[in-house]
Amino acid sequence: MNHAVELWPTLVRASVDRKHPWRVVGLSTTGADGPMSRQVILRKVFPEQRQLLFFTDSRSGKVRELAHDNRVALLFWNPSHQLQLRAVGTAYLETDDSVLNGYWANVPEYARQDYATLSAPGTALHDGPVATDLNIARAHFVVLKVTVHTLDCLELGREGHTRTRLLWHEETQAWQSGAVVP
C-alpha cells in the first residue's frame, strides 16, 4: 500500500460504507481524570483539510475532556488486511448552526433519539425507562472535527511487518512519509 496516496481514500470509503472496518473508530482523549477511550462512528472525511468528522452529544464526557485538552488519538483496525492505522490530531466542535443544521437534517429519525435523553450520557439510571424529548434532541447534537497531524500505519505480515509514518508539515503544506521500525 502506498500509504500517502491510499490512506485518505480508504478513510473516505470507510465513512460511507457501513461495513468497512474503519467506520468504527477508537477515540482517545485526556480529561481532568486522565485518559479515556471509546468507539465512535466515522461520519465524513475531508482529505484536503485533513479532517475526520464524528457526531456526539454535547453533554458527553468526550466533550468535557476535549475542553480540558483537545489533542486526540484515533485507532483504526482492519482485521482482514491486518492493518492498523493510528491518527493523532486536534479536535474542535463545530459551532456554525447552519453547518450543524445541515448535518442534523440527514440524521435519521431513529438516530435522533440518541440526543433526546433528558439526562446526559453516563448519568446513573434510576427506576424506570430513560426519559426522552425529541424537541430537545437538536440542541444536544454536535459535530466533532479532528484535524489530523500524524498518521502511523502498521501492516502485520508473515514475512515481516511494515510501518509507515506520515507527518503533516505546515510550512510545505504537505505530508512527509517515511518507513519506521514496526
Side-chain angles (χ1 to χ4, degrees):
M1 172 182 271
N2 180 342
H3 301 293
V5 174
E6 295 180 35
L7 284 176
W8 285 101
T10 302
L11 288 165
V12 169
R13 190 168 45 256
S15 72
V16 296
D17 179 356
R18 293 181 182 270
K19 294 184 180 186
H20 196 286
W22 283 4
R23 184 158 169 89
V24 179
V25 183
L27 170 68
S28 297
T29 57
T30 303
D33 296 328
M36 297 295 287
S37 293
R38 79 279 291 148
Q39 299 292 103
V40 292
I41 305 298
L42 181 62
R43 300 293 180 175
K44 192 133 179 88
V45 176
F46 300 98
E48 296 78 28
Q49 291 86 16
R50 306 178 342 270
Q51 289 184 340
L52 307 174
L53 186 140
F54 308 90
F55 298 163
T56 192
D57 189 305
S58 63
R59 304 165 296 165
S60 70
K62 72 179 85 57
V63 171
R64 286 188 306 278
E65 292 152 14
L66 291 170
H68 175 77
D69 185 343
N70 71 338
R71 296 174 300 166
V72 298
L74 298 152
L75 181 63
F76 303 81
W77 172 246
N78 184 330
S80 62
H81 291 102
Q82 296 292 289
L83 185 66
Q84 171 186 277
L85 175 64
R86 292 184 302 152
V88 177
T90 52
Y92 68 94
L93 299 176
E94 178 61 62
T95 57
D96 185 323
D97 270 333
S98 64
V99 173
L100 291 170
N101 289 336
Y103 286 115
W104 182 250
N106 293 309
V107 174
E109 197 67 33
Y110 70 87
R112 291 180 177 203
Q113 289 288 337
D114 297 338
Y115 305 96
T117 60
L118 298 182
S119 299
T123 301
L125 284 174
H126 300 289
D127 297 331
V130 176
T132 62
D133 179 355
L134 272 175
N135 294 317
I136 64 168
R138 167 54 188 89
H140 298 152
F141 173 78
V142 293
V143 172
L144 172 66
K145 289 185 176 179
V146 175
T147 301
V148 177
H149 307 295
T150 305
L151 292 167
D152 193 307
C153 190
L154 174 66
E155 289 180 274
L156 304 178
R158 292 178 189 231
E159 304 298 320
H161 308 324
T162 59
R163 183 173 169 195
T164 304
R165 183 173 300 135
L166 293 92
L167 302 171
W168 179 256
H169 286 275
E170 287 296 329
E171 312 81 48
T172 61
Q173 293 290 294
W175 290 103
Q176 178 182 356
S177 175
V180 293
V181 176

